[in-house]
Amino acid sequence: RMTMARGVVALVLATASRALRPSVSVVRRSVVMSAETGSGTKLEAKPVANKKQERRRIMRSDDFLRSPSDFSESEKATVERKMLSEMKSSLLDSMRSSSYETTKGEGAGSVTFRLAKEYGMCWGAERSIELALAAAEKFKDKRKHITNELLHNPGVNAMLEENGIEFIEKTGDGGKRFDKVQAGDVVILPAFGATLAEMQHLEDVGVTTVDTTCPWVSKVWNVVDKQVAKDMTTIIHGKYAHEEAIATASYCKDYLMVKNMDEAEYVCRYILDPTPEGKEDLLKKFAKAMSPGFDPDVHLKKIGIANQTTMYKRETAAIGKLFEVTMMTKYGPEDVTDRYAAFDTICDATQERQDAITDMIEDPAVAELDFILVVGGFDSSNTAHLVEIPHDKGLSVFHINEADCVQPDNSVKHRLLDGSIVTTENWLPTDRPLKIGVTSGASTPDAYVEEALERIVLLKSSLAAAAAAA
């Protein structure tokens, strides 16, 4: 009978899934972004006297589009229809307009979802999608490329591919297949931005560039420009392999990236107590996270703080304060304004989502929740921080990147904080109602969250029916 029950679950879920959301495609192909073999082009920026002026010179070109005003009203209307059909969620809109909570199903098969007060796709991410889709509409007859994932969301990137946008593959040697880009093509720059070397190369090739860089990322670059003008080394709070951090670093004169407070403390200890052995260790530890020719004895005398916009704001603030106190201790308070500079460049949307999940887990009612579900790309830094906050409080949390992570056999594929992807069996209880806290990353469309919640409702209902039949 148990075998029969499991068969009922699989059959009911598979059948019902096909009937879900007829206006939204729930089958999305994965996008291949990297090639295991082969060689690519490794771009190096051409030397210029002023990187800020070079970046702005390129952006002033008639072939460089970066605003909704660069597209016609009919093109924008078409994009709006696509956004409504592919991105929006009536379920989440209803929850937001009422109590941020809803219950689906009955009895042991019921599920209550409690939504964080701030969640999901931010204005910058939505703007990037709109610009990319507008490019697909405007340049239907041209070959279109994008230099990276537009956002760290598999559904969004698959949608772009379905709209005729080709992803420039990364190669195993650290390069990209820029050889596939030809004069007259259209190249889209993602929300994370692009390096100066990429912008120079695309201009040389003779393409039309559509820049979807998030304005908050551009704000960080403006901060870096000010630090360069003051001959400061930029300390970037970010991940050295993240596209945004790579782009930001390309506009610095000298830089060092620190991923977290531990790495920041390591650097500050060296500033206060430099030794030949310490220098050797620092250069080795940060070999992939520093500018060419970096010398800690030279380049850590005047520093400015910048950040990858999706990092945890409280940690960025703490790292900034640590470096400020370190420079004050090393050189005295009278010199600190000449040796240290910091600006708040954490994205508002990132902070609001972090605050909202913090509010959820600090509310005594969190004890009612079985677990917290976080929906967002597995490579999404801002989503990972939404997972980290409840995890650090000892709460059960599952990070999925799409509805297909929820399987008919009552297992779930999810990402752990260390980056590993695991499968948890016997995920949902079969004999009682369920309460789940819900949030989503800033690059996750509401429709994708709804698909995941609907999949859970179907699974819970099927499990309850199978348990009753057993």
Side-chain angles (χ1 to χ4, degrees):
R1 296 183 67 183
M2 289 303 296
T3 300
M4 178 181 174
R6 284 193 294 269
V8 170
V9 173
L11 178 60
V12 171
L13 184 55
T15 302
S17 293
R18 287 193 293 270
L20 280 178
R21 297 186 59 79
S23 63
V24 177
S25 171
V26 298
V27 179
R28 299 187 178 91
R29 295 174 295 147
S30 60
V31 176
V32 178
M33 286 294 300
S34 60
E36 297 298 326
T37 59
S39 59
T41 304
K42 297 181 181 180
L43 301 176
E44 292 187 9
K46 292 180 287 187
V48 293
N50 188 305
K51 292 182 178 181
K52 171 185 174 182
Q53 291 179 4
E54 175 73 350
R55 182 175 78 245
R56 293 189 174 182
R57 181 193 65 78
I58 295 171
M59 293 168 66
R60 285 194 295 267
S61 167
D62 291 339
D63 292 324
F64 197 98
L65 311 183
R66 57 193 298 263
S67 168
S69 63
D70 292 318
F71 300 93
S72 71
E73 291 304 316
S74 63
E75 290 160 354
K76 287 186 284 189
T78 299
V79 169
E80 184 176 359
R81 288 193 294 273
K82 289 182 179 179
M83 295 290 287
L84 285 172
S85 66
E86 289 283 343
M87 304 280 106
K88 306 302 181 181
S89 162
S90 58
L91 172 62
L92 269 62
D93 286 346
S94 174
M95 293 175 69
R96 185 167 50 236
S97 64
S98 55
S99 62
Y100 286 84
E101 191 167 301
T102 190
T103 299
K104 300 291 183 180
E106 298 178 351
S110 72
V111 185
T112 298
F113 298 110
R114 182 177 299 162
L115 191 62
K117 295 297 193 298
E118 296 290 342
Y119 65 91
M121 179 163 285
C122 65
W123 169 80
E126 190 167 319
R127 174 184 176 276
S128 293
I129 297 172
E130 289 172 349
L131 288 172
L133 291 177
E137 185 67 20
K138 187 179 190 71
F139 301 107
K140 291 179 179 178
D141 299 329
K142 288 192 175 185
R143 191 174 182 186
K144 296 169 287 294
H145 313 266
I146 187 166
T147 60
N148 237 311
E149 294 182 65
L150 183 75
L151 305 165
H152 283 154
N153 186 282
V156 170
N157 293 310
M159 181 181 67
L160 297 186
E161 193 172 52
E162 291 165 3
N163 278 271
I165 298 170
E166 302 175 27
F167 288 78
I168 298 174
E169 290 182 349
K170 299 176 182 177
T171 51
D173 61 355
K176 292 182 182 179
R177 293 302 304 271
F178 280 107
D179 57 301
K180 294 185 176 181
V181 179
Q182 304 296 320
D185 288 354
V186 175
V187 178
I188 298 168
L189 308 184
F192 310 112
T195 65
L196 180 60
E198 289 177 337
M199 292 177 70
Q200 290 175 331
H201 175 75
L202 295 174
E203 181 187 45
D204 290 344
V205 171
V207 304
T208 296
T209 300
V210 179
D211 181 13
T212 79
T213 302
C214 174
W216 276 96
V217 176
S218 299
K219 180 180 177 181
V220 176
W221 296 351
N222 292 335
V223 165
V224 167
D225 293 338
K226 295 176 182 178
Q227 294 170 357
V228 170
K230 294 181 178 180
D231 198 30
M232 287 180 160
T233 294
T234 300
I235 304 293
I236 302 173
H237 177 210
K239 302 172 183 179
Y240 69 81
H242 192 281
E243 299 94 323
E244 182 190 325
I246 293 170
T248 296
S250 76
Y251 300 109
C252 300
K253 179 183 178 185
D254 302 294
Y255 68 87
L256 181 70
M257 295 191 201
V258 295
K259 182 175 65 175
N260 50 35
M261 180 58 80
D262 288 343
E263 291 190 353
E265 290 175 347
Y266 187 102
V267 175
C268 288
R269 283 195 295 269
Y270 180 83
I271 292 174
L272 295 173
D273 184 24
T275 65
E277 296 80 9
K279 179 176 180 177
E280 182 179 352
D281 290 343
L282 186 147
L283 291 173
K284 182 177 180 181
K285 180 178 179 66
F286 293 94
K288 295 181 179 180
M290 61 175 61
S291 50
F294 186 87
D295 183 342
D297 294 335
V298 175
H299 297 126
L300 292 177
K301 292 182 178 181
K302 294 175 64 177
I303 62 173
I305 304 295
N307 66 284
Q308 182 182 313
T309 58
T310 55
M311 299 301 282
Y312 193 25
K313 181 172 183 176
R314 292 178 185 176
E315 187 171 47
T316 295
I319 287 172
K321 178 57 69 173
L322 174 65
F323 275 102
E324 182 182 21
V325 171
T326 298
M327 300 305 281
M328 194 179 300
T329 302
K330 177 78 171 181
Y331 298 104
E334 62 277 2
D335 285 345
V336 71
T337 55
D338 293 327
R339 294 186 179 274
Y340 173 80
F343 300 86
D344 182 5
T345 54
I346 284 287
C347 167
D348 280 347
T350 297
Q351 182 58 34
E352 289 165 358
R353 283 145 187 74
Q354 292 172 0
D355 290 345
I357 192 64
T358 299
D359 290 344
M360 177 184 283
I361 66 174
E362 290 181 349
D363 187 325
V366 72
E368 303 171 1
L369 302 179
D370 289 274
F371 59 82
I372 291 173
L373 181 74
V374 181
V375 185
F378 284 155
D379 294 330
S380 168
S381 180
N382 78 83
T383 304
H385 290 303
L386 296 178
V387 178
E388 181 181 354
I389 293 169
H391 176 272
D392 287 350
K393 290 290 187 179
L395 300 175
S396 180
V397 55
F398 293 89
H399 173 192
I400 66 173
N401 71 340
E402 59 185 354
D404 284 347
C405 289
V406 180
Q407 293 296 304
D409 63 357
N410 196 19
S411 66
V412 61
K413 183 178 73 172
H414 59 106
R415 181 188 185 275
L416 302 181
L417 277 179
D418 64 6
S420 57
I421 310 299
V422 300
T423 297
T424 294
E425 308 289 341
N426 301 314
W427 184 40
L428 305 182
T430 62
D431 58 348
R432 60 176 177 81
L434 184 66
K435 280 194 174 183
I436 303 173
V438 179
T439 189
S440 54
S443 55
T444 306
D446 287 358
Y448 300 174
V449 179
E450 179 171 344
E451 288 174 14
L453 301 189
E454 286 179 330
R455 185 71 63 92
I456 291 172
V457 170
L458 286 168
L459 175 59
K460 190 71 173 75
S461 176
S462 300
L463 289 171

